[in-house]
């Protein structure tokens, strides 16, 4: 009877221990799933070093006196080389520029006589000279340039060219009706040729004068 009681006690206690062990193990697995990894993670920040940027930046030497008055040298205005080369002023005055235009006009009239151009082309060139001379007179009439020889020569030559052009045009217009007597001799071909030759010489002298005016 005593043995029977011991056996029954063992049977009662044995399932209870196994059942408790089973639920204990299941509880540990459940707790582990809910809490995640409970181990120790390494400290990654101790061995991490940020990489260097791939963008290069220019290196400049620091200059603190770039705008300093002590670092800027004064302009050597007393140095002839600096004045003549660096600060060279415009040497062509408006008057000289106007003379150059008249040189071109006079050369065209000279070539017209030289090439024996017809009356119409010759008259057109002289007319162009006349209207430019009138503007030239008004521009410099009350200025010191009006006393220059070149100024007077342009006006003189413009008037002479106009007179020859008018004479040539009139001779062409009236030659059918004039007998080259004392009255009409002025329109004779010989006189026209003489006047044209004289004008050509005057043009050549004036061109040389204007080219040597500074």
């Amino acid at each position: 009877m005593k043995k029977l009681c011991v056996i029954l006690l063992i049977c009662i206690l044995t399932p209870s221990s196994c059942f408790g062990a089973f639920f204990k193990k299941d509880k540990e697995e459940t707790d582990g799933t809910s809490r995640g990894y409970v181990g120790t993670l390494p400290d990654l920040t101790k061995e991490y070093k940020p990489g260097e940027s791939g963008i290069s930046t220019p290196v400049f030497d620091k200059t603190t006196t770039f705008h300093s008055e002590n670092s800027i040298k004064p302009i050597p205005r007393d140095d002839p080389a600096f004045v003549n080369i660096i600060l060279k002023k415009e040497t062509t005055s408006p008057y000289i520029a106007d003379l150059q235009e008249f040189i071109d006009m006079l050369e065209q009239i000279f070539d017209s006589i030289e090439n024996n151009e017809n009356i119409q082309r010759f008259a057109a060139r002289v007319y162009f000279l006349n209207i430019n001379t009138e503007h030239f007179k008004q521009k410099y009439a009350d200025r010191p340039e009006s006393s220059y020889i070149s100024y007077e020569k342009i006006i003189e030559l413009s008037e002479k060219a106009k007179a020859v052009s008018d004479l040539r045009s009139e001779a062409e217009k009236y030659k059918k009706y004039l007998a080259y007597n004392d009255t009409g001799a002025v329109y004779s071909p010989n006189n026209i040729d003489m006047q044209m030759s004289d004008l050509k010489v005057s043009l050549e002298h004036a061109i040389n004068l204007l080219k040597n005016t500074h």
Side-chain angles (χ1 to χ4, degrees):
M1 186 68 180
K2 185 177 181 180
K3 291 181 180 180
L4 181 61
C5 290
V6 171
I7 292 172
L8 291 173
L9 180 62
I10 292 172
C11 290
I12 294 171
L13 294 176
T14 298
S16 176
S17 299
C18 293
F19 183 79
F22 172 79
F23 278 100
K24 181 178 181 182
K25 181 179 180 180
D26 183 69
K27 185 175 184 300
E28 289 178 357
E29 289 179 357
T30 304
D31 293 342
T33 302
S34 62
R35 290 186 299 168
Y37 180 74
V38 295
T40 303
L41 293 174
D43 188 357
L44 298 179
T45 60
K46 289 184 178 181
E47 299 192 6
Y48 172 78
K49 294 182 179 180
E52 296 182 356
S53 174
I55 302 176
S56 61
T57 56
V59 179
F60 297 99
D61 293 332
K62 184 178 180 181
T63 304
T64 58
T65 60
F66 181 78
H67 295 290
S68 174
E69 294 182 358
N70 296 329
S71 64
I72 302 176
K73 296 182 179 180
I75 297 175
R77 296 185 180 275
D78 297 332
D79 186 353
F82 180 83
V83 174
N84 293 333
I85 298 175
I86 306 301
L87 295 181
K88 186 176 182 180
K89 296 182 179 179
E90 179 62 50
T91 57
T92 304
S93 67
Y95 182 77
I96 298 299
D98 289 340
L99 293 187
Q100 183 58 54
E101 293 184 5
F102 277 100
I103 290 172
D104 295 339
M105 287 183 276
L106 298 180
E107 287 180 339
Q108 290 178 7
I109 297 175
F110 182 91
D111 292 340
S112 180
I113 299 173
E114 184 78 9
N115 299 327
N116 196 26
E117 287 186 338
N118 59 49
I119 296 174
Q120 289 76 17
R121 289 183 66 84
F122 174 78
R125 297 185 189 281
V126 173
Y127 176 77
F128 187 69
L129 171 65
N130 294 155
I131 59 175
N132 279 276
T133 301
E134 288 300 317
H135 176 72
F136 181 73
K137 288 170 60 177
Q138 295 175 7
K139 183 177 181 179
Y140 295 105
D142 299 325
R143 296 170 61 174
E145 290 85 352
S146 62
S147 62
Y148 294 174
I149 297 177
S150 55
Y151 175 86
E152 296 175 354
K153 180 60 66 175
I154 289 174
I155 296 174
E156 175 188 336
L157 191 56
S158 177
E159 293 175 351
K160 185 172 184 176
K162 184 178 185 302
V164 174
S165 179
D166 291 344
L167 178 64
R168 191 178 177 186
S169 297
E170 290 174 1
E172 183 68 17
K173 181 178 180 179
Y174 299 123
K175 67 180 180 180
K176 297 180 180 179
Y177 311 104
L178 294 174
Y180 296 118
N181 51 28
D182 292 341
T183 304
V186 67
Y187 297 116
S188 66
N190 290 335
N191 185 55
I192 298 297
D193 290 342
M194 185 174 62
Q195 295 297 327
M196 293 285 285
S197 296
D198 184 62
L199 176 61
K200 182 180 176 182
V201 173
S202 298
L203 287 167
E204 186 175 8
H205 291 165
I207 291 170
N208 291 331
L209 174 65
L210 298 184
K211 284 184 177 180
N212 289 282
T213 301
H214 302 288

